[in-house]
Amino acid sequence: MKLGTKLIHAGVSPDPTTGAIMTPIYQTSTFVQNAPGDHKGYEYARTQNPTRDALQNALAAIENGKHGLSFGSGLAATDAVIKLLNPGDEVIASNDLYGGTYRIFTKVFQRYGIQFRFVDMQNAASVADHVTPQTKLIWIETPTNPMLNIIDIAAVAKIAKQHQLLLAVDNTFASPYLQNPLDLGADIVVHSATKYLGGHSDVVHGALIVKDDALAQQLAFIQNSCGAVPGPQDCFLVLRGIKTLHVRMQRHCENGEAVAKFLRSHSKVDKVYWCGFEDHPNHAIAREQMRGFGGMISFTLKSDDLAAAKKVLSQTHLFSLAESLGGVESLIGHPASMTHASIPREERLKNGLTDSLIRLSVGIEDVDDLISDLNTAIG
Ligand SMILES: *Cc1c(COP(=O)(O)O)cnc(C)c1O
């Protein structure tokens, strides 16, 4: 089955009692048993819920995995992955990460004795230099947020295999429409389904997808033991969002390209970060591992000061000033004060995340209107 078909049909089947074509929202905390231990596969809704099951099966299918696990948020999914580790273990993580991921690593798990090394992985081979006997996991995000760098997943996966390390890839920015990390050798795919998978800015949700049975079992144990599970209504919303991922992503990519080219041609714009440009430093890898370049773009202004950036941020009308990304509506954000405020300024600047950097999540509106909105705001 191809992706567009899987997005609509995988994991779901008509409700056996009524024929309802949409998976019902099983809003229940427990399930009645015929006799002790004699039940229909469901005992208590933290452990299993039929709406969640449908979503988890759909997630597994669309990432070419075998097992999907749903969580109350993307960070709850991240939390479950790090809980596979023990005190003293080390993680090698890419240095240009979602701010909340950086925060949970450094402010929460470091206190439990897990060490994180943040490495520029644009040269994938350099990752090997950071492996120690304590290293257990490599964590990457690609395209990176907000600099839109690309990391070579297959090359990092090779290093992970050589050293018997797990490789987790946060695939939130690309979505399974553009990239399938498990096919490139990753062990765990992480999603904030709050973004492109949900797609309508109406739900917070996270997911993990794996192929390996034993790893799935360990993660399901953590999911149930720690209990960061989503409610059935949220599972329903993500399941509904997934059904249109391919048509939305196609438009996000088209609009993203048009907006990136417009920005590049604007006299007041300095740098435009978008992995679809042929002179993007990792464009060749993007071409190799992705099926398109997406709708996430960052840019800076020639007058590289905060005031000029703030002016643009407050003068768009169709681009709403908000955190998050991946919804049908366009958003504009200021990483230094919003999504990445939890990363110390020196760390941010090292990665090129200047105070004037502006990030766009280009939505699926008519692109002429989006360009005219930006044109007016940039002035
Ligand atoms: C939003 C985001 C997360 C965190 O997900 P939540 O659903 O907000 O907890 C993780 N990674 C990336 C790349 C994100 O954009």
mmCIF file of all heavy atoms in Angstrom, residues 149-174:
data_model
loop_
_atom_site.group_PDB
_atom_site.id
_atom_site.type_symbol
_atom_site.label_atom_id
_atom_site.label_comp_id
_atom_site.label_asym_id
_atom_site.label_seq_id
_atom_site.Cartn_x
_atom_site.Cartn_y
_atom_site.Cartn_z
ATOM 1 N N ASN A 149 18.916 22.808 9.258
ATOM 2 C CA ASN A 149 20.029 22.000 8.775
ATOM 3 C C ASN A 149 19.541 20.575 8.572
ATOM 4 O O ASN A 149 18.523 20.172 9.143
ATOM 5 C CB ASN A 149 21.173 22.001 9.792
ATOM 6 C CG ASN A 149 21.856 23.351 9.857
ATOM 7 O OD1 ASN A 149 22.092 23.969 8.829
ATOM 8 N ND2 ASN A 149 22.153 23.813 11.061
ATOM 9 N N ILE A 150 20.295 19.824 7.793
ATOM 10 C CA ILE A 150 19.919 18.442 7.521
ATOM 11 C C ILE A 150 21.014 17.527 8.037
ATOM 12 O O ILE A 150 22.202 17.777 7.822
ATOM 13 C CB ILE A 150 19.747 18.228 5.989
ATOM 14 C CG1 ILE A 150 18.696 19.179 5.426
ATOM 15 C CG2 ILE A 150 19.411 16.768 5.680
ATOM 16 C CD1 ILE A 150 17.279 18.939 5.897
ATOM 17 N N ILE A 151 20.600 16.473 8.741
ATOM 18 C CA ILE A 151 21.555 15.478 9.225
ATOM 19 C C ILE A 151 21.335 14.200 8.421
ATOM 20 O O ILE A 151 20.192 13.792 8.180
ATOM 21 C CB ILE A 151 21.353 15.222 10.733
ATOM 22 C CG1 ILE A 151 21.644 16.504 11.517
ATOM 23 C CG2 ILE A 151 22.239 14.083 11.221
ATOM 24 C CD1 ILE A 151 21.240 16.439 12.975
ATOM 25 N N ASP A 152 22.440 13.568 8.032
ATOM 26 C CA ASP A 152 22.391 12.357 7.216
ATOM 27 C C ASP A 152 22.003 11.166 8.118
ATOM 28 O O ASP A 152 22.838 10.613 8.837
ATOM 29 C CB ASP A 152 23.779 12.148 6.587
ATOM 30 C CG ASP A 152 23.808 11.006 5.596
ATOM 31 O OD1 ASP A 152 22.948 10.092 5.702
ATOM 32 O OD2 ASP A 152 24.693 11.022 4.732
ATOM 33 N N ILE A 153 20.737 10.791 8.066
ATOM 34 C CA ILE A 153 20.218 9.762 8.987
ATOM 35 C C ILE A 153 20.913 8.420 8.748
ATOM 36 O O ILE A 153 21.337 7.751 9.696
ATOM 37 C CB ILE A 153 18.689 9.597 8.820
ATOM 38 C CG1 ILE A 153 17.962 10.915 9.160
ATOM 39 C CG2 ILE A 153 18.164 8.465 9.719
ATOM 40 C CD1 ILE A 153 16.456 10.880 8.892
ATOM 41 N N ALA A 154 21.061 8.033 7.481
ATOM 42 C CA ALA A 154 21.664 6.718 7.177
ATOM 43 C C ALA A 154 23.105 6.661 7.681
ATOM 44 O O ALA A 154 23.545 5.634 8.218
ATOM 45 C CB ALA A 154 21.597 6.447 5.678
ATOM 46 N N ALA A 155 23.836 7.770 7.535
ATOM 47 C CA ALA A 155 25.240 7.782 7.975
ATOM 48 C C ALA A 155 25.333 7.685 9.495
ATOM 49 O O ALA A 155 26.182 6.956 10.028
ATOM 50 C CB ALA A 155 25.928 9.046 7.481
ATOM 51 N N VAL A 156 24.452 8.386 10.205
ATOM 52 C CA VAL A 156 24.473 8.308 11.674
ATOM 53 C C VAL A 156 24.000 6.915 12.119
ATOM 54 O O VAL A 156 24.536 6.344 13.083
ATOM 55 C CB VAL A 156 23.604 9.420 12.312
ATOM 56 C CG1 VAL A 156 23.583 9.285 13.828
ATOM 57 C CG2 VAL A 156 24.119 10.798 11.923
ATOM 58 N N ALA A 157 23.040 6.349 11.394
ATOM 59 C CA ALA A 157 22.542 5.007 11.738
ATOM 60 C C ALA A 157 23.666 3.966 11.642
ATOM 61 O O ALA A 157 23.752 3.048 12.456
ATOM 62 C CB ALA A 157 21.388 4.616 10.813
ATOM 63 N N LYS A 158 24.534 4.160 10.656
ATOM 64 C CA LYS A 158 25.653 3.234 10.477
ATOM 65 C C LYS A 158 26.582 3.269 11.703
ATOM 66 O O LYS A 158 27.007 2.230 12.214
ATOM 67 C CB LYS A 158 26.440 3.665 9.230
ATOM 68 C CG LYS A 158 26.956 2.525 8.404
ATOM 69 C CD LYS A 158 27.490 3.119 7.131
ATOM 70 C CE LYS A 158 28.028 2.113 6.173
ATOM 71 N NZ LYS A 158 28.572 2.830 4.996
ATOM 72 N N ILE A 159 26.851 4.497 12.168
ATOM 73 C CA ILE A 159 27.705 4.658 13.357
ATOM 74 C C ILE A 159 27.013 4.045 14.573
ATOM 75 O O ILE A 159 27.634 3.350 15.380
ATOM 76 C CB ILE A 159 28.011 6.165 13.594
ATOM 77 C CG1 ILE A 159 28.849 6.691 12.428
ATOM 78 C CG2 ILE A 159 28.705 6.380 14.923
ATOM 79 C CD1 ILE A 159 28.961 8.206 12.372
ATOM 80 N N ALA A 160 25.705 4.266 14.683
ATOM 81 C CA ALA A 160 24.953 3.706 15.811
ATOM 82 C C ALA A 160 25.060 2.182 15.799
ATOM 83 O O ALA A 160 25.300 1.553 16.839
ATOM 84 C CB ALA A 160 23.490 4.142 15.733
ATOM 85 N N LYS A 161 24.905 1.571 14.628
ATOM 86 C CA LYS A 161 24.973 0.101 14.514
ATOM 87 C C LYS A 161 26.366 -0.405 14.902
ATOM 88 O O LYS A 161 26.496 -1.367 15.660
ATOM 89 C CB LYS A 161 24.670 -0.364 13.081
ATOM 90 C CG LYS A 161 23.239 -0.150 12.628
ATOM 91 C CD LYS A 161 22.376 -1.391 12.761
ATOM 92 C CE LYS A 161 20.901 -1.154 12.832
ATOM 93 N NZ LYS A 161 20.346 0.195 12.864
ATOM 94 N N GLN A 162 27.409 0.285 14.386
ATOM 95 C CA GLN A 162 28.790 -0.130 14.669
ATOM 96 C C GLN A 162 29.059 -0.188 16.163
ATOM 97 O O GLN A 162 29.772 -1.057 16.644
ATOM 98 C CB GLN A 162 29.772 0.875 14.056
ATOM 99 C CG GLN A 162 30.191 0.531 12.650
ATOM 100 C CD GLN A 162 30.848 1.739 11.963
ATOM 101 O OE1 GLN A 162 31.131 2.757 12.608
ATOM 102 N NE2 GLN A 162 31.071 1.615 10.670
ATOM 103 N N HIS A 163 28.474 0.765 16.891
ATOM 104 C CA HIS A 163 28.750 0.865 18.327
ATOM 105 C C HIS A 163 27.605 0.303 19.171
ATOM 106 O O HIS A 163 27.594 0.498 20.380
ATOM 107 C CB HIS A 163 29.020 2.328 18.703
ATOM 108 C CG HIS A 163 30.232 2.901 18.031
ATOM 109 N ND1 HIS A 163 31.496 2.808 18.572
ATOM 110 C CD2 HIS A 163 30.376 3.535 16.850
ATOM 111 C CE1 HIS A 163 32.365 3.391 17.748
ATOM 112 N NE2 HIS A 163 31.705 3.842 16.693
ATOM 113 N N GLN A 164 26.657 -0.357 18.526
ATOM 114 C CA GLN A 164 25.491 -0.939 19.214
ATOM 115 C C GLN A 164 24.734 0.081 20.061
ATOM 116 O O GLN A 164 24.429 -0.169 21.233
ATOM 117 C CB GLN A 164 25.926 -2.137 20.059
ATOM 118 C CG GLN A 164 26.472 -3.248 19.187
ATOM 119 C CD GLN A 164 26.896 -4.449 19.996
ATOM 120 O OE1 GLN A 164 27.579 -4.315 21.010
ATOM 121 N NE2 GLN A 164 26.478 -5.610 19.563
ATOM 122 N N LEU A 165 24.464 1.229 19.444
ATOM 123 C CA LEU A 165 23.711 2.279 20.124
ATOM 124 C C LEU A 165 22.330 2.369 19.500
ATOM 125 O O LEU A 165 22.144 2.046 18.333
ATOM 126 C CB LEU A 165 24.412 3.633 19.954
ATOM 127 C CG LEU A 165 25.905 3.665 20.253
ATOM 128 C CD1 LEU A 165 26.482 5.029 19.894
ATOM 129 C CD2 LEU A 165 26.155 3.361 21.730
ATOM 130 N N LEU A 166 21.378 2.842 20.281
ATOM 131 C CA LEU A 166 20.056 3.116 19.711
ATOM 132 C C LEU A 166 20.103 4.467 19.000
ATOM 133 O O LEU A 166 20.777 5.384 19.462
ATOM 134 C CB LEU A 166 19.005 3.197 20.822
ATOM 135 C CG LEU A 166 18.554 1.891 21.461
ATOM 136 C CD1 LEU A 166 17.617 2.209 22.630
ATOM 137 C CD2 LEU A 166 17.856 0.988 20.444
ATOM 138 N N LEU A 167 19.375 4.571 17.898
ATOM 139 C CA LEU A 167 19.242 5.857 17.216
ATOM 140 C C LEU A 167 17.778 6.273 17.218
ATOM 141 O O LEU A 167 16.919 5.564 16.684
ATOM 142 C CB LEU A 167 19.757 5.764 15.774
ATOM 143 C CG LEU A 167 19.476 7.013 14.913
ATOM 144 C CD1 LEU A 167 20.175 8.249 15.475
ATOM 145 C CD2 LEU A 167 19.911 6.781 13.461
ATOM 146 N N ALA A 168 17.506 7.421 17.845
ATOM 147 C CA ALA A 168 16.151 7.993 17.837
ATOM 148 C C ALA A 168 16.150 9.218 16.928
ATOM 149 O O ALA A 168 17.065 10.044 16.995
ATOM 150 C CB ALA A 168 15.726 8.388 19.250
ATOM 151 N N VAL A 169 15.150 9.332 16.073
ATOM 152 C CA VAL A 169 15.035 10.485 15.167
ATOM 153 C C VAL A 169 13.700 11.183 15.415
ATOM 154 O O VAL A 169 12.644 10.569 15.294
ATOM 155 C CB VAL A 169 15.132 10.061 13.685
ATOM 156 C CG1 VAL A 169 14.973 11.274 12.772
ATOM 157 C CG2 VAL A 169 16.452 9.352 13.407
ATOM 158 N N ASP A 170 13.781 12.459 15.768
ATOM 159 C CA ASP A 170 12.572 13.282 15.894
ATOM 160 C C ASP A 170 12.162 13.689 14.479
ATOM 161 O O ASP A 170 12.841 14.504 13.836
ATOM 162 C CB ASP A 170 12.876 14.497 16.774
ATOM 163 C CG ASP A 170 11.643 15.374 17.022
ATOM 164 O OD1 ASP A 170 10.711 15.336 16.185
ATOM 165 O OD2 ASP A 170 11.632 16.099 18.031
ATOM 166 N N ASN A 171 11.067 13.120 13.991
ATOM 167 C CA ASN A 171 10.648 13.314 12.598
ATOM 168 C C ASN A 171 9.493 14.324 12.483
ATOM 169 O O ASN A 171 8.781 14.348 11.487
ATOM 170 C CB ASN A 171 10.220 11.960 12.012
ATOM 171 C CG ASN A 171 10.310 11.911 10.495
ATOM 172 O OD1 ASN A 171 11.142 12.589 9.887
ATOM 173 N ND2 ASN A 171 9.451 11.112 9.869
ATOM 174 N N THR A 172 9.343 15.144 13.528
ATOM 175 C CA THR A 172 8.221 16.092 13.571
ATOM 176 C C THR A 172 8.199 17.045 12.379
ATOM 177 O O THR A 172 7.150 17.263 11.771
ATOM 178 C CB THR A 172 8.304 16.929 14.870
ATOM 179 O OG1 THR A 172 8.255 16.038 15.985
ATOM 180 C CG2 THR A 172 7.161 17.920 14.977
ATOM 181 N N PHE A 173 9.357 17.622 12.029
ATOM 182 C CA PHE A 173 9.398 18.636 10.968
ATOM 183 C C PHE A 173 9.115 18.033 9.591
ATOM 184 O O PHE A 173 8.488 18.679 8.761
ATOM 185 C CB PHE A 173 10.776 19.323 10.946
ATOM 186 C CG PHE A 173 10.820 20.602 11.716
ATOM 187 C CD1 PHE A 173 10.182 20.711 12.939
ATOM 188 C CD2 PHE A 173 11.495 21.701 11.213
ATOM 189 C CE1 PHE A 173 10.221 21.898 13.648
ATOM 190 C CE2 PHE A 173 11.540 22.895 11.920
ATOM 191 C CZ PHE A 173 10.909 22.996 13.133
ATOM 192 N N ALA A 174 9.616 16.837 9.340
ATOM 193 C CA ALA A 174 9.483 16.259 7.996
ATOM 194 C C ALA A 174 8.131 15.573 7.839
ATOM 195 O O ALA A 174 7.514 15.639 6.780
ATOM 196 C CB ALA A 174 10.610 15.268 7.752
#
